């Protein structure tokens, strides 16, 4: 029988990505960056190709480089760990002294483009495979396009103008074109994905209509498309498919995974066959002492703690921060011998402790954020009543006093503050600081010097060595 060899190329890196999965397990995805699929008996299915895109979220990059460019770089977090361990470029990111050679930028640039490559190849393969069930075919393509949009969203927020992979490997498209591409992918996903409750139990965690609507609402927010952001946020809220978890702390525990509030999570199992987000919990777990669960990186900053305390926001503070000497909800004591005074509780895994294969799902998008998108967009549209209703819905859950001001400028600042406290350590703080033009002031308050060139990440130097004609961002 003829042997088929399948190669899936990815742009903008020196390597290639090839996807092949040998069973129908949603998360059982090979961790290699290149796999040669020699198949003499069976044919790889489109669903297996799509599964391989999800698997990209379980890689080591999301346990270290990702933390560096989304949290440690911001005022939410410090490098942590030992003072003698710089964590590669993590101390540079924390201090805002990084350059274009910082390894974390290269890692995530490659990771996001490789994920896009898998998505595009899965789309092409599914379209040509010959599936006769149009709804199923379009669902798979919708999942791939949702995931492709998500990865482009990181790229455009980080670097601005970036290549659109299936158009040109070198030319950096204007950010507006990248956003239009993202919007088209998400609209297709909205039109073709099922609602969350329509999936079988075995498919829990796949992209849904609500996830695509929520992400598109967020994409609109980042472009100041206020009416579109508000309309889609209301669509999600009024869909009946989601509700706020009454106990904020429960969201981050095993019992809260894929719960009523969840629009989309990166799935993890915590076993060697289908590992979770590799070392995500271990890298951030308490370091030293008798407990000695992990490496202790990405710790809450004093600045963040002060923000919680100033708001008297004890519920979210205590669900977000592990304190030295604290006994956690599961009875584990974080003894006084640990190296750092605080750790990220949203990354804590009770069952896996500091194991490399964590069972911890990363909560990517949830209803709490959708309410805050509605609040911000409505305020910008001059609809203070709708903004206040959405904002106070989030505050009521954590027993904070209602906000009553209808002054647009004051309300804007309060909504931004609420985003920080509600979404701390959910990997958006840096992008929010850039989007809202708060970065220079916020980082100065954290003792760091923000330079205008930091409005965009530097194109990784290794990428420009490979493709010198790709222009660098200004100032780098």
């Amino acid at each position: 029988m003829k042997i088929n060899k399948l190669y899936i190329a990815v742009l903008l890196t020196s390597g290639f990505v090839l996807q092949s999965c040998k069973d129908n397990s949603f998360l059982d995805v090979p961790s290699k960056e290149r796999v040669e699929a020699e198949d003499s008996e069976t044919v790889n299915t489109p669903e297996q190709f799509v599964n391989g895109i999800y698997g990209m979220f379980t890689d080591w990059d999301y346990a270290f480089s990702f933390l560096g460019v989304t949290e440690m770089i911001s005022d939410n977090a410090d490098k942590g760990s030992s003072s003698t361990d710089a964590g590669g470029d993590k101390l540079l990111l924390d201090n805002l002294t990084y350059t274009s050679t910082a390894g974390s930028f290269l890692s995530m640039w490659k990771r996001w483009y490789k994920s896009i490559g898998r998505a595009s190849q899965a789309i092409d393969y599914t379209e040509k495979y010959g599936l006769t069930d149009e709804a199923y075919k379009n669902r798979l393509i919708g999942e791939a396009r949702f995931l492709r949009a998500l990865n482009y969203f990181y790229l455009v927020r980080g670097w601005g103008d970036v290549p659109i992979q299936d158009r040109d490997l070198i030319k950096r498209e204007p950010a507006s074109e990248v956003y239009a591409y993202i919007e088209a992918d998400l609209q297709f996903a909205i039109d073709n994905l099922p609602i969350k409750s329509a999936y079988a139990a075995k498919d829990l965690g796949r992209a849904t209509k609500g996830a695509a609507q929520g992400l598109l609402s967020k994409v609109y927010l980042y472009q100041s498309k206020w009416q579109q952001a508000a309309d889609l946020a209301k669509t999600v809220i009024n869909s009946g498919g989601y509700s706020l978890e009454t106990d904020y702390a429960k969201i981050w525990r095993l019992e809260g995974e894929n719960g009523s509030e969840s629009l989309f999570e990166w799935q993890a199992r915590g076993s060697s066959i289908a590992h979770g987000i590799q070392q995500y919990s271990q890298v951030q777990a308490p370091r030293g002492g008798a407990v000695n669960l992990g490496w202790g990186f990405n710790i809450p900053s004093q600045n963040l703690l002060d923000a919680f305390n100033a708001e008297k926001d004890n519920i979210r503070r205590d669900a977000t921060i592990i304190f030295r000497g604290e006994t956690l909800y599961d009875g584990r004591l974080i003894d006084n011998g640990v190296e750092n005074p605080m750790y990220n509780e949203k990354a804590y895994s009770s069952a896996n402790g500091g194991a490399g294969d964590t069972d911890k799902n990363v909560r990517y998008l949830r209803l709490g954020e959708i309410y805050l998108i509605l609040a911000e967009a409505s305020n910008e549209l001059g609809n203070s009543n709708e903004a206040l209703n959405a904002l106070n819905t989030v505050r009521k859950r954590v027993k904070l006093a209602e906000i009553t001001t209808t002054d647009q400028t004051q309300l804007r600042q309060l909504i931004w503050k609420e985003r920080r406290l509600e979404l701390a350590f959910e990997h958006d703080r840096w992008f929010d600081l850039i989007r809202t033009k708060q970065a220079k002031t916020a980082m100065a308050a954290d003792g760091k010097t923000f330079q205008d060139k930091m409005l965009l990440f530097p194109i990784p130097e290794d990428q420009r060595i490979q493709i010198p004609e790709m222009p660098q961002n200004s100032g780098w």
Side-chain angles (χ1 to χ4, degrees), residues 40 62 106 230 253 274 285 314 403 409 422 443 445:
S40 60
Y62 284 104
L106 178 63
R253 300 173 186 173
N314 298 344
I403 300 296
T409 300
E422 174 73 17
M443 297 312 296

Side-chain angles (χ1 to χ4, degrees), residues 228-261:
Q228 295 97 316
D231 289 346
L232 266 180
K234 284 188 284 188
T235 296
V236 174
I237 292 167
N238 296 331
S239 69
Y242 306 93
S243 60
L244 289 181
E245 170 58 57
T246 56
D247 180 359
Y248 181 84
K250 181 180 174 182
I251 298 171
W252 318 108
R253 300 173 186 173
L254 182 61
E255 59 185 315
E257 290 189 344
N258 300 305
S260 64
E261 184 163 342

Side-chain angles (χ1 to χ4, degrees), residues 46-273:
E47 186 167 321
Q48 290 170 327
F49 270 70
V50 173
N51 289 351
I53 316 166
Y54 290 97
M56 295 295 276
F57 293 119
T58 68
D59 191 85
W60 155 250
D61 288 336
Y62 284 104
F64 211 32
S65 294
F66 181 65
L67 306 180
V69 303
T70 61
E71 292 291 348
M72 293 183 217
I73 196 173
S74 81
D75 57 347
N76 271 359
D78 295 325
K79 174 187 71 70
S81 189
S82 169
S83 60
T84 61
D85 188 348
D89 62 354
K90 305 308 178 294
L91 184 59
L92 300 176
L93 292 167
D94 186 15
N95 290 334
L96 298 187
T97 56
Y98 56 85
T99 69
S100 62
T101 63
S104 293
F105 294 126
L106 178 63
S107 293
M108 296 318 301
W109 172 272
K110 291 167 64 177
R111 174 64 36 185
W112 289 325
Y113 268 117
K114 287 178 179 179
S115 299
I116 288 165
R118 285 196 178 188
S120 295
Q121 191 67 26
I123 292 165
D124 183 65
Y125 188 75
T126 302
E127 287 174 339
K128 297 175 180 177
Y129 188 79
L131 292 175
T132 57
D133 185 335
E134 284 293 310
Y136 175 59
K137 181 184 78 173
N138 287 332
R139 190 207 89 188
L140 293 176
I141 294 172
E143 289 181 62
R145 293 186 69 169
F146 170 86
L147 296 170
R148 185 168 67 180
L150 189 160
N151 283 278
Y152 270 123
F153 189 39
Y154 275 124
L155 286 164
V156 74
R157 287 187 297 169
W159 284 277
D161 301 349
V162 293
I164 295 177
Q165 189 182 68
D166 60 2
R167 295 182 183 175
D168 194 284
L169 303 188
I170 300 172
K171 179 185 175 183
R172 294 179 61 186
E173 299 274 1
S176 60
E177 287 296 316
V178 181
Y179 272 115
Y181 191 91
I182 291 169
E183 290 173 15
D185 270 353
L186 290 175
Q187 189 58 58
F188 183 93
I190 290 168
D191 293 340
N192 290 282
L193 290 179
I195 61 175
K196 183 178 178 180
S197 61
Y199 273 118
K202 70 179 180 64
D203 289 319
L204 183 67
R206 291 187 181 277
T208 65
K209 180 185 292 291
Q213 290 169 327
L215 181 53
L216 184 52
S217 177
K218 186 171 180 174
V219 166
Y220 285 143
L221 182 81
Y222 269 78
Q223 299 175 83
S224 300
K225 293 183 175 180
W226 307 120
Q227 191 64 61
Q228 295 97 316
D231 289 346
L232 266 180
K234 284 188 284 188
T235 296
V236 174
I237 292 167
N238 296 331
S239 69
Y242 306 93
S243 60
L244 289 181
E245 170 58 57
T246 56
D247 180 359
Y248 181 84
K250 181 180 174 182
I251 298 171
W252 318 108
R253 300 173 186 173
L254 182 61
E255 59 185 315
E257 290 189 344
N258 300 305
S260 64
E261 184 163 342
S262 174
L263 273 70
F264 189 65
E265 301 181 15
W266 303 346
Q267 303 295 305
R269 287 180 177 168
S271 61
S272 59
I273 295 175

Side-chain angles (χ1 to χ4, degrees), residues 274-296:
H275 64 72
I277 294 88
Q278 186 183 359
Q279 296 178 268
Y280 180 82
S281 293
Q282 183 185 54
V283 165
Q284 301 179 75
R287 178 184 181 119
V291 65
N292 197 28
L293 291 177
W295 301 5

